[in-house]
Amino acid sequence: MVKRPPAGTIPDEPGSYQFKDAHGRVIYVGKASSLRQRLSNYFQAPHNLHPRTRQMVETAESVEWTIVANEVEALMLEYSLIKQHRPRFNVRLRDDKSYPFLAVTVDEQWPRAMVMRGRKRKGVRYFGPYAHAYAIRDTLDLLLRSFPIRTCSPGKFKEHERLGRPCLLFHIEKCSGPCVDEIEEMPYRQLVTELCDFLAGDTDDIVQRLEAEMKAAATDLEFERAARLRDRLVAVQKAIAKQQMVVDGREDVDVIGIADDELEASVQMFFVRKGRVVGRKGFVLDKVEELTPGKLIDRILEAVYGDEPAMGYPKQVLVPYEADDVDTYEEWLTHMRGSKVQIRMPQRGDKRALLETVTRNAGEEFTRHRMRRASDHNTRSRALTELQEALDLPEAPLRIECYDMAHLQGTDYVGSMVVLEDGLPNKREYRRFKVNIPGNDDYGAMEEVLTRRLQAYVDERDRPIEERGDRPGKFAYPPQLLVVDGGKGQLNVAKRVVDQLGLTDEIPVAALAKQFEQVYVPGRSEPVEVARGSEGLFMLQRIRDEAHRFANTFHRERRSKRMTKSALDDIPGLGEVRRKKLLKAMGGVNAIKRADLDELKSHSFLPDKVAEAIYDKFH
């Protein structure tokens, strides 16, 4: 564990600090406006630290720091050190896909347009990124009719230059033929400039110029040239239609949407230039370090703008909640852009609507990300093996059951049981429980649910074979791992029920605490080490969330039924059909309450005993 530096040796100045392990590897990098104040937070009683921070401090053997002039320099140094060392306790990108860009090689004599991925290089202008490569090719196919620049490789270009014959693209008017001198260099450069301007969002000037040239050609009776300009104009307008106008005015805005849980965050970004969406990208962040919502925004801004984005720095960055250190990040981005940059949280209008759209995209992508992890067979097998090893189980838990409770201030208490078999949800095995517990007693409710479920299994197991029948009972199969949603208290309840029913050696139990995603097992005061980001922890997290969802759904159903219960319920002989007829005949419940006995008996469909029961109910 790292020792606290001697008093007075830590400077009270801005800078970046690095924690190192016993081998000298950098395991965490941070920044601070005051190194002394920030580092002192790490050297307090371990039980006061966040579990992830405590683990980092216990792993570290030394801490070093670098003093800089101001907070912006501290931010820039922190980013460069994280990029260089990739510390294990810093937030990191996971499954960060290499998104495709539309690139124009402006450094060549005859620039070309192409789809590119990976590392950016000098002398190339990038536009995007796009979600799919086919989206770029569709856009490029439309634009080549208006801006016919070459798309061929250098080898192909030299081959046709040597042959003196253009390729097919020249004949279908998707290339201006620079390889055979069909166009001079300056007009070709003009086409390249117009294409780049169009992709950057400057569409109005191009449309107006094409319209003016088309009308001028028609006036001069150059109908063939007017027809070609008309076709170019149509192609440009189709391409513009693909770029949705999302904000009023001609603004340059980046929009960040976030969906997250305790372990990961899905981030989606829309790049808006001149009011139109010209690119998008997404990635998943692994929350290795302790993160508040504002600090998560800080980390995302560093990940996105640490290296200059292909579309450049925007005038505004829209975020779902405010960064912890918004002034520093605005100053940093302003320095990188060379003009004022705002980071703001829109409250209304089209920008708020756009942020909500991007956030929905982040939520959908997060769901797909988790589904992909859950549905892969190899991933599931690895998760089950990890759980077996981490929890010291006798075999891989092919059947996992998880339990959760739901109530509202002690009313409408319900419990849920969800089942994973071979790592996949088996919804036919899900069960719901109505719980009869007075007051707000989660432990008592959990004990009742587990006792009912496991007692049913014991009864089924101990029945003579000849009495069991062809179909197994609802609770005929025991779990190979029983998980409860909660901490040590809920675990102790589960352990007590299992012991009382004599199932200690047959059914292992565990608890998953939501606050820090810690796993507890009987006989250990400290949580079990299930690696963060591992498939095993992800599987436990998913079944816990499913049990929570299932319990809450049942609770809402019960509460809704209770709140809509009619005063006419529970009257002997007044079933649903008679109740509907009576309501229709008398015009509502209040009229029925005020009616005298003779009036009630006057209805032919209502027997006298039922009419008397209704009258007695309200009088």
Side-chain angles (χ1 to χ4, degrees), residues 384-385 387-389 391-399 478-481 505-506 508:
L384 294 173
T385 303
L387 288 178
Q388 180 184 359
E389 294 174 353
L391 304 182
D392 195 23
L393 304 177
E395 56 186 345
L398 299 182
R399 180 184 172 100
Q480 290 164 306
L481 176 62
D505 296 331
E506 188 174 351

Side-chain angles (χ1 to χ4, degrees), residues 371 399-400 417-421 423-432 474 542 546-547 549-550 553:
M371 292 284 286
R399 180 184 172 100
I400 305 175
M417 162 186 146
V418 301
V419 180
L420 291 186
E421 290 188 343
L424 291 174
N426 185 351
K427 295 193 175 183
R428 294 178 61 184
E429 293 288 311
Y430 286 15
R431 297 290 181 264
R432 308 190 299 187
K474 289 183 178 180
R542 191 164 65 93
E546 179 69 351
R549 180 200 65 80
F550 195 51
T553 300

Side-chain angles (χ1 to χ4, degrees), residues 289-396:
E289 60 181 295
E290 177 191 0
L291 290 176
T292 62
K295 195 170 183 180
L296 176 60
I297 293 290
D298 293 350
R299 293 306 190 200
I300 291 169
L301 293 173
E302 293 171 21
V304 172
Y305 300 112
D307 295 323
E308 183 176 0
M311 297 300 295
Y313 296 97
K315 290 183 178 179
Q316 278 190 358
V317 181
L318 305 183
V319 293
Y321 26 79
E322 193 170 286
D324 272 2
D325 195 2
V326 65
D327 293 337
T328 299
Y329 283 87
E330 282 187 345
E331 186 179 347
W332 171 53
L333 291 177
T334 297
H335 169 76
M336 302 301 286
R337 177 183 167 88
S339 61
K340 178 66 176 176
V341 176
Q342 286 185 312
I343 301 171
R344 54 184 294 251
M345 192 169 55
Q347 302 297 323
R348 61 185 68 84
D350 51 4
K351 289 182 180 177
R352 179 67 187 180
L354 177 59
L355 177 61
E356 291 172 351
T357 298
V358 181
T359 302
R360 279 199 304 273
N361 275 268
E364 291 169 3
E365 184 57 39
F366 199 31
T367 301
R368 285 192 290 268
H369 165 72
R370 300 180 73 171
M371 292 284 286
R372 281 194 298 269
R373 290 184 64 180
S375 61
D376 179 70
H377 175 73
N378 293 332
T379 301
R380 298 199 310 271
S381 299
R382 186 162 62 251
L384 294 173
T385 303
E386 288 175 357
L387 288 178
Q388 180 184 359
E389 294 174 353
L391 304 182
D392 195 23
L393 304 177
E395 56 186 345

Side-chain angles (χ1 to χ4, degrees), residues 447-460:
E447 184 170 7
E448 178 183 324
V449 168
L450 292 178
T451 301
R452 285 162 59 184
R453 185 271 181 264
L454 295 179
Q455 185 63 57
Y457 160 67
V458 171
D459 294 343
E460 183 73 16

Side-chain angles (χ1 to χ4, degrees), residues 14-86:
S16 173
Y17 55 92
Q18 308 91 46
F19 283 90
K20 296 183 178 181
D21 64 11
H23 302 287
R25 290 175 300 209
V26 176
I27 60 173
Y28 183 76
V29 175
K31 68 178 187 307
S33 57
S34 169
L35 289 168
R36 181 179 300 170
Q37 291 180 13
R38 177 61 56 82
L39 286 174
S40 65
N41 292 332
Y42 292 100
F43 300 105
Q44 53 181 298
H47 64 269
N48 291 331
L49 294 173
H50 189 283
R52 299 166 202 166
T53 306
R54 183 172 67 240
Q55 184 183 3
M56 185 275 291
V57 173
E58 290 173 349
T59 305
E61 288 289 328
S62 63
V63 59
E64 299 176 0
W65 53 83
T66 304
I67 300 172
V68 295
N70 52 54
E71 293 179 46
V72 173
E73 287 189 16
L75 169 61
M76 297 170 72
L77 177 59
E78 178 198 40
Y79 174 76
S80 64
L81 290 172
I82 290 174
K83 188 176 179 181
Q84 176 184 348
H85 297 290
R86 300 182 63 82

Side-chain angles (χ1 to χ4, degrees), residues 73 89 110 122 157 187 192 199 385 401-402 405 482 488 517 567 591 617:
E73 287 189 16
F89 287 102
W110 303 101
K122 291 183 178 179
F157 182 88
V192 173
L199 291 170
T385 303
E401 294 180 4
C402 186
M405 303 295 119
L482 190 155
K488 294 180 183 178
E517 305 296 342
K617 167 93 176 191

